[in-house]
Amino acid sequence: MVFVLLGAGIAFAADEEPMLKKYAGLDYGSQGLELKGYIPALNKRVVRAWELVNWTGIFNFDGGKSTKITNYDVFNVKRKADDPNFDKENGFGLVHKSQPALGDLFDKILSSQTISAKQKKYFRDTFTKSADDPVFAEGNEFYYRILRTKYLRTSGIVQRMGIKFTSTKKISESNRQAIYEVTKWPELKATAAAGTLNVDMKTYGVSERDVRIVATKKDPSRILKMQLV
């Protein structure tokens, strides 16, 4: 594996390390030759030279709040294999394909959200297990490989959190943003009348919701147990 550290031309916060640092040993400015996968800007699967750069990820929540990830990891590639320079307009985010890495991403995105601890843990555990989903393998458009190290496209995997990539924003040549929309947490209301249980659910988002309703013994404090995926 060959990595080259660029001395100039890539700006990033001095106190920021890539989220990939502890999983793949990469720093901003690292370069290599063997990124293999689907390149959105090219609309095809290729093997390309790459460089790791620092963007900011903006996750906008319903209601006006937002979370900012200042060490959002983006890979730039060349439009043509023999191009002398990397194309800054075709960068895309990648996260290491592992449960700990997805856990880090989850924590950064939802750090400011007031979800019950039990529900948040269930949501986190379910999301991190996506790293081992067999669907993410050679041929899947969200799966990437650099030699023996595996990655997932950030914009693809966060769909499982009900998050949608919306746009990129160029602030300057060295400052770019990836903008996401985080949909509302699903709402579930259960009422009982005349021996009939009525469940009213509202869902929001860009991915399928798995709702499991489990009957329990009559208890005013615990009528319904709800799990949302």
Side-chain angles (χ1 to χ4, degrees):
M1 184 180 295
V2 179
F3 299 128
V4 180
L5 298 182
L6 300 181
I10 296 179
F12 55 90
D15 59 345
E16 288 285 5
E17 288 188 341
M19 294 179 67
L20 286 168
K21 174 79 171 183
K22 64 180 177 180
Y23 300 107
L26 302 181
D27 286 305
Y28 293 128
S30 294
Q31 294 182 353
L33 302 174
E34 299 289 338
L35 189 149
K36 181 180 180 181
Y38 176 80
I39 310 302
L42 305 182
N43 194 28
K44 62 181 179 180
R45 194 179 309 276
V46 298
V47 177
R48 280 287 191 275
W50 57 270
E51 66 172 352
L52 178 62
V53 296
N54 179 206
W55 284 28
T56 299
I58 308 292
F59 294 82
N60 295 317
F61 292 81
D62 182 83
K65 293 184 178 181
S66 65
T67 295
K68 180 185 294 185
I69 299 179
T70 54
N71 58 337
Y72 181 88
D73 299 337
V74 168
F75 283 74
N76 287 339
V77 299
K78 298 180 178 182
R79 285 191 173 272
K80 296 180 180 179
D82 58 353
D83 283 350
N85 300 313
F86 292 96
D87 184 356
K88 295 182 180 180
E89 304 303 325
N90 66 12
F92 54 95
L94 292 183
V95 59
H96 188 259
K97 187 179 180 293
S98 67
Q99 291 196 27
L102 291 191
D104 287 348
L105 180 62
F106 179 95
D107 292 339
K108 280 180 172 288
I109 295 173
L110 293 186
S111 59
S112 62
Q113 296 304 294
T114 54
I115 304 171
S116 72
K118 185 175 182 180
Q119 189 68 64
K120 192 172 185 177
K121 181 180 184 304
Y122 177 80
F123 190 16
R124 187 183 192 277
D125 290 346
T126 302
F127 175 67
T128 57
K129 289 176 183 176
S130 298
D132 301 320
D133 190 329
V135 73
F136 296 121
E138 293 287 351
N140 185 283
E141 70 170 282
F142 299 135
Y143 172 90
Y144 298 79
R145 187 161 51 84
I146 299 175
L147 299 178
R148 296 182 180 180
T149 306
K150 302 172 183 177
Y151 303 86
L152 296 171
R153 186 162 9 125
T154 309
S155 61
I157 195 65
V158 296
Q159 291 180 29
R160 295 193 172 191
M161 294 173 63
I163 298 174
K164 179 182 179 181
F165 171 76
T166 59
S167 64
T168 60
K169 185 175 182 180
K170 179 180 177 181
I171 307 300
S172 67
E173 283 301 319
S174 60
N175 186 0
R176 296 169 189 247
Q177 298 177 343
I179 314 296
Y180 288 87
E181 175 188 346
V182 186
T183 53
K184 291 180 64 175
W185 189 250
E187 301 172 8
L188 183 63
K189 180 180 180 181
T191 58
T196 301
L197 176 64
N198 298 305
V199 178
D200 181 21
M201 180 177 178
K202 295 181 180 179
T203 60
Y204 314 86
V206 295
S207 60
E208 179 180 338
R209 297 290 187 183
D210 179 9
V211 182
R212 303 167 191 175
I213 300 176
V214 181
T216 64
K217 292 183 179 180
K218 186 176 181 180
D219 183 341
S221 65
R222 190 180 181 186
I223 298 176
L224 186 68
K225 177 181 179 182
M226 176 183 68
Q227 292 181 331
L228 296 174
V229 178

